[in-house]
Amino acid sequence: MTDELDELKAALRALPAADPAAKADAIALAMKKFDALQGSRAAPRPSQDRQKQAGFLNGVRNMLNSLTSRGALAATTSVAALCLGLIVVLPTLNQPEPAVIALPEADDARTRRVPTPEVAATDEPEPMVQPNEPNLAGRIAKTAVPEAGTIVLQDAPAEGFAEAAPAGSVLSAEAEMRTEASAPDILQQGYASATAQPESDFNQTVLPVETTEAFPNADANPVKVTAEEPVSTFSIDVDTASYAVVRSSLMAGVLPPPGAVRVEEMVNYFPYAYPAPDQADAPFRSTATVMPTPWNPGTRLVHIGLQGRLPALADRARLNLVFLIDTSGSMDEPNKLPLLKQSLRLMLAELRPDDEIAMVAYAGSAGTVLEPTKARESATILAALDNLAAGGSTAGAEGLALAYGVAVTMGGDGEVSRVLLATDGDFNVGIDDPDGLEAYIAKQRDTGIYLSVLGFGRGNLDDATMQALAQNGNGTAAYIDTLNEARKVLVDQLTGALFPIANDVKIQVEWNPAAVAEYRLIGYETRALNREDFNNDKVDAGEIGAGHSVTAIYEITAPGSVALRNDPLRYGTAADFEGQIAELGFLRLRYKSLGQAASKLIETPIAQGGPANDDARFAAAIAGFGQLLAGSVYLNDWGWDDAITLALGARGEDAFGYRIEAVNLMRMAKTLDTR
């Protein structure tokens, strides 16, 4: 090979000067072939079907094959160098103006200026796609770049259109929906949108590299001295969103953000077999268990459990449900709108025939896509659900107002009306004042309409806003990351998620200074209440759904324990307080019956004894799991292996596999934790 190259070099050096006429003929022939390869055909060609002779390099190759003389070889070498210089220099001489694309918005057209991307030196023009418009490739059926700085619609019709759209025209809203429903062939031939996501299973977790996620920011509850602050007050919480967010992070191979870890929501994710109340009793029953603290032998855990009554199916009130569905562009990912549709399908099968469903969608502007319809008309409901497509910005405030308006028209005496907001939480239009939005939601709850929130997807999950909306709307917040989670929340726990049995449930514990020197409430940081709020019926608190259980855990320290974290007071000791040592504290509960403005009080002493069962010990393991993720300073040397051992030993009956899943997540977290 080296000899042949040496011979070629020697031959080139020995060449005579090129004949001017032959050189001109060669340049003309080369330019003719070059020009024949420029421009675009009537419609972009599928790359795998392009003609064998197409392409600039193939043209040069054919030209060389057709010119065999040494003189022609030298001439074409000069032409190739000239063409290369033109390709490099020309783009810098004239920068095109930004293109203007006309897009539909509701019934009016709008224009958006999009910088024209550079066209690569290939024979196939790529379609121009705005990165923040996931459905632009669906709206513009086929694109071409006939000259710099312009983008037009081609004459070829998109799939589903009766006739072709003229060049430069704007698709109607109806045509846009049809284009969204059936992507044109061009998307199947490698011309996918720049933001298109690969197909994935709904149980697969993939986290984006860059996120704009927001979580409630609250410091962990500190250790408090009983003599100084003997009363602890908080609102109950039956949300489960935090556990599912933690799981999605760990399954993606990363530790969750500390702000995403709310220990009480992790503990309350699991069902527990607490004793249920009798039908004649209050809507829920409380129990208290005391056990040694796994991570601190000098303290004990006080485990408080509430179990809600589960009424018979025949006694369940009729449900009026408004699906408020986020169809903004940010929902155009497999684990968002497609998973949302599948999740609501699962729930529809659990509703009774006389339950009523309405549907409101919002993106840019809000609209009713399904008028109130009986659940028995499942085909109509599913058709409206299937027709939803993602695109546009997120007008969350407008959607909420419309959904509440629809819910008001559906309500009746003895019925339960609820707005179910399904979103990734990316409220970017119409919410200039989050506090004002929370006040609006709080005002709406006076109408008796509940608001619950289902979160989907990661990357721009606004968990903080979703939590605030649910808490102010007398509702719950859950995060759906898999179809299994959708089944748990919307099928297995449907009655608890949608049918309340008590409103504004508050817990207050007065600790006995003679038996408890220090205490710490584990979790519930975002649910804390002032002491005086307990007796104030105007202060909102959490709701308990039918069959729901609620768990709260305190870590307490006895007087004189080596685990005390605070020095004794100079002018007071535990002996200064009267009280029975056998009584650790006094538990008070307040709640409102449905439709009532005045609360009722339940009081129960917390005794010293009582063996810990599997439920209490497993709850303690999950509380430790959450604290390990959050980097708690109260766990001493207790670590992942200890949490795994405790959870496995307290697994008990695990019919749905939730507890063993938690153990596997602990193992994953142990592997990922390099702190």
Side-chain angles (χ1 to χ4, degrees), residues 213-216 262 396 400 421 423-428 431 433-435 437-438 441 451 453 460-473 477:
E213 296 182 333
F215 299 95
R262 293 185 292 277
L400 283 167
L421 169 60
T423 178
D424 62 359
D426 186 17
F427 298 98
N428 52 33
I431 303 182
D433 180 11
D435 293 335
L437 178 63
E438 293 176 20
I441 298 297
L451 171 68
V453 182
N460 56 350
L461 181 69
D462 191 349
D463 181 70
T465 298
M466 293 165 56
Q467 290 289 321
L469 293 180
Q471 291 182 14
N472 284 277

Side-chain angles (χ1 to χ4, degrees), residues 311-373:
L313 182 62
D315 298 333
R316 200 182 75 185
R318 199 185 84 165
L319 176 66
N320 302 306
L321 186 62
V322 180
F323 293 156
L324 176 55
I325 301 176
D326 183 353
T327 56
S328 62
S330 64
M331 293 290 288
D332 192 20
E333 297 180 19
N335 63 344
K336 292 186 179 182
L337 187 58
L339 177 57
L340 186 158
K341 292 181 179 181
Q342 291 289 338
S343 302
L344 295 184
R345 276 178 169 270
L346 294 178
M347 187 180 69
L348 284 174
E350 302 300 312
L351 300 179
R352 296 185 303 178
D354 286 337
D355 291 337
E356 205 164 35
I357 305 298
M359 201 176 301
V360 173
Y362 65 95
S365 60
T368 302
V369 297
L370 178 70
E371 297 293 340
T373 304

